[in-house]
Amino acid sequence: MLSSYQRVLREPGALLFSLTGLVARLPISMAGLGIVLLVEASTGSYGVAGAVSAAYMVANALLAIAQGRLVDRLGQGLVLSTASVLFGVAMVLLVWSVQDGWPMATTYAAAAVAGGTLPQIGSCVRARWSHVLSRPTDVQTAFALEAVVDEACFILGPITVTLLATAVHPVAGLAVAVVAGVAGGLFFASQRATEPPRQRHDAATGPRPAMPWRTVAPLAVVSAALGVLFGAAEVTTVAFSEEQDAKAWAGALLALWALGSLLSGVVTGAITWRRGPAVRVRWGSLAMAAAMVPLLFVDSMVAMGLLLLVGGVAIAPTLVATLSLTERTVPPGRLTEGMAIMQTGLVAGVAPGATLSGVVVDARGASAAYLVPVVAGLLAAVAAQLLPRGDDAEPTAASAGDAPHDDLTRGDTTTGAGAATAAATDPGGRAVPSSAPVEPDPLRPPG
């Protein structure tokens, strides 16, 4: 079962950049909570702490796509190393301003700069996998591996930052996140052998390729809706635990949800899918909405834990399919930007989801508040139906052969030769000889 993972990790440099990426993106799950714990310990106000953390998160959401575009143009090495240093400096200033009682405007500004410069490691790791691997099935496995890494971050990060901030010092948890982000980011940026080439666009090379918005726009809506689902489900689960007089176990319930996703992520990368990522996004979004429905009727912590564990199984396959479809359709010269759009959608949806569910909890209680993630899941499922159809079969190892991955999945973005020379599959998944006529692929950007 694990042979597919062994195959992708045997690529030169792959294991190193994947492990480095794990360390470098720990701030994603630690910094926001660490800021809350630090500011609350200093000011005694969760309201102020939440506002500072919000400044960090909003700036990150607003600037992530711009950073992805810079990475594609200037290269990961330059952009990530610069962003890592700026992130570290801004976080040090944030901590200093809180500890020494500087004006709050300084703290808000430092938080915004830190959020805006947080290195987009997740998008860059996936761009590297797309660069170093040649078979679409291997890219699928690599993306599943990164989904497992993401879940590991979101299980370990909050526990670590909370333990350090409460048992050691309020600064300790945030300090670990900063060291991991800066050191990991700089080391990741220094690994030039696996770095995708820069994509310069000028008078000599021509304009940058168009973004395939017919696919990217619905996927962005799917990502944002799933972000709403995540934010709403987390807040509602905490409220449910408090109603059950077991608030201390809220983290355990959310960990079970993440565990279900982690386990399904491992399976996702170990099997060969017969249907393409567009189909899996459609069904996965619907499954995530359906998994929320039983939570409306639960009144037991044990039952809630079991349902969240099972419901989590739908998360990783859906996210992997979303990013796989992005990788398959976005031109190489804008791949990091495309990945950043999806990641930004997820992040941007969390705060509205948490807010909406909080309003419903106050008015109707936790059980009724699970309607918010149900509706968000249905919105994602509707958006997924807008994805172009016509390339719903997953390329197989037999049809993929040893063709370069970029040519096989996107076509040659300069001449369009990839679609004419690579082997294809018919809607039933059967191999079609490369000499046979191939229908135009609506999921591929124009050559």
Side-chain angles (χ1 to χ4, degrees):
M1 177 179 178
L2 299 179
S3 60
S4 55
Y5 288 102
Q6 294 172 350
R7 184 172 62 252
V8 300
L9 290 172
R10 280 198 297 265
E11 288 288 330
L15 179 59
L16 181 61
F17 78 67
S18 184
L19 287 176
T20 308
L22 165 61
V23 175
R25 61 184 186 261
L26 281 173
I28 295 175
S29 64
M30 297 177 68
L33 179 57
I35 290 171
V36 169
L37 294 171
L38 172 68
V39 176
E40 191 280 328
S42 177
T43 66
S45 170
Y46 276 106
V48 173
V52 175
S53 181
Y56 171 89
M57 298 297 293
V58 169
N60 177 253
L62 290 176
L63 295 178
I65 297 173
Q67 187 182 138
R69 188 175 299 164
L70 284 175
V71 168
D72 287 329
R73 289 182 178 180
L74 304 178
Q76 292 186 4
L78 175 61
V79 175
L80 292 182
S81 57
T82 303
S84 296
V85 172
L86 293 175
F87 169 74
V89 171
M91 290 298 281
V92 169
L93 290 175
L94 188 157
V95 172
W96 198 353
S97 70
V98 172
Q99 291 294 96
D100 282 7
W102 294 3
M104 284 305 300
T106 307
T107 303
Y108 284 116
V113 173
T117 58
L118 177 68
Q120 298 300 307
I121 300 294
S123 298
C124 291
V125 168
R126 290 172 172 89
R128 288 201 182 212
W129 280 119
S130 180
H131 172 64
V132 303
L133 297 175
S134 60
R135 294 174 181 267
T137 51
D138 287 345
V139 176
Q140 162 80 27
T141 298
F143 282 13
L145 173 65
E146 296 305 324
V148 171
V149 170
D150 285 340
E151 295 299 343
C153 286
F154 280 98
I155 291 174
L156 298 176
I159 295 173
T160 302
V161 72
T162 302
L163 179 63
L164 290 173
T166 56
V168 180
H169 191 279
V171 176
L174 202 54
V176 170
V178 173
V179 170
V182 174
L186 290 174
F187 188 37
F188 183 90
S190 70
Q191 298 171 41
R192 300 301 178 91
T194 53
E195 180 182 356
R198 292 177 294 174
Q199 303 290 333
R200 293 189 180 276
H201 305 291
D202 50 32
T205 60
R208 62 177 180 163
M211 185 69 76
W213 290 110
R214 280 189 62 205
T215 298
V216 171
L219 280 180
V221 175
V222 170
S223 297
L226 294 182
V228 172
L229 185 151
F230 294 144
E234 288 177 1
V235 169
T236 306
T237 300
V238 172
F240 174 84
S241 300
E242 188 171 8
E243 288 181 358
Q244 298 291 316
D245 295 322
K247 188 176 181 179
W249 290 95
L253 289 180
L254 294 174
L256 285 172
W257 198 33
L259 178 61
S261 177
L262 187 152
L263 295 175
S264 67
V266 173
V267 175
T268 297
I271 63 177
T272 300
W273 295 88
R274 298 186 64 183
R275 308 304 294 173
V279 173
R280 302 202 302 275
V281 171
R282 296 184 193 111
W283 283 105
S285 301
L286 189 60
M288 291 185 65
M292 293 290 104
V293 173
L295 308 185
L296 290 161
F297 310 103
V298 173
D299 60 359
S300 161
M301 289 291 289
V302 173
M304 181 64 73
L306 290 174
L307 286 172
L308 284 173
L309 177 64
V310 174
V313 170
I315 297 175
T318 307
L319 296 182
V320 169
T322 299
L323 294 174
S324 294
L325 185 56
T326 303
E327 187 272 342
R328 180 174 295 186
T329 57
V330 173
R334 301 186 70 175
L335 180 56
T336 310
E337 179 186 354
M339 293 288 184
I341 290 173
M342 303 309 149
Q343 300 286 356
T344 298
L346 285 169
V347 172
V350 170
T355 301
L356 287 171
S357 62
V359 170
V360 179
V361 166
D362 290 340
R364 298 284 183 172
S367 294
Y370 278 113
L371 276 172
V372 177
V374 170
V375 173
L378 290 175
L379 176 61
V382 170
Q385 296 304 313
L386 300 178
L387 292 168
R389 298 173 185 267
D391 188 24
D392 290 342
E394 182 73 25
T396 63
S399 65
D402 295 321
H405 178 69
D406 286 345
D407 288 347
L408 175 66
T409 60
R410 301 189 191 92
D412 186 320
T413 57
T414 302
T415 65
T421 59
T425 55
D426 69 6
R430 298 180 295 276
V432 177
S434 58
S435 59
V438 179
E439 291 294 325
D441 182 356
L443 297 184
R444 247 184 225 114

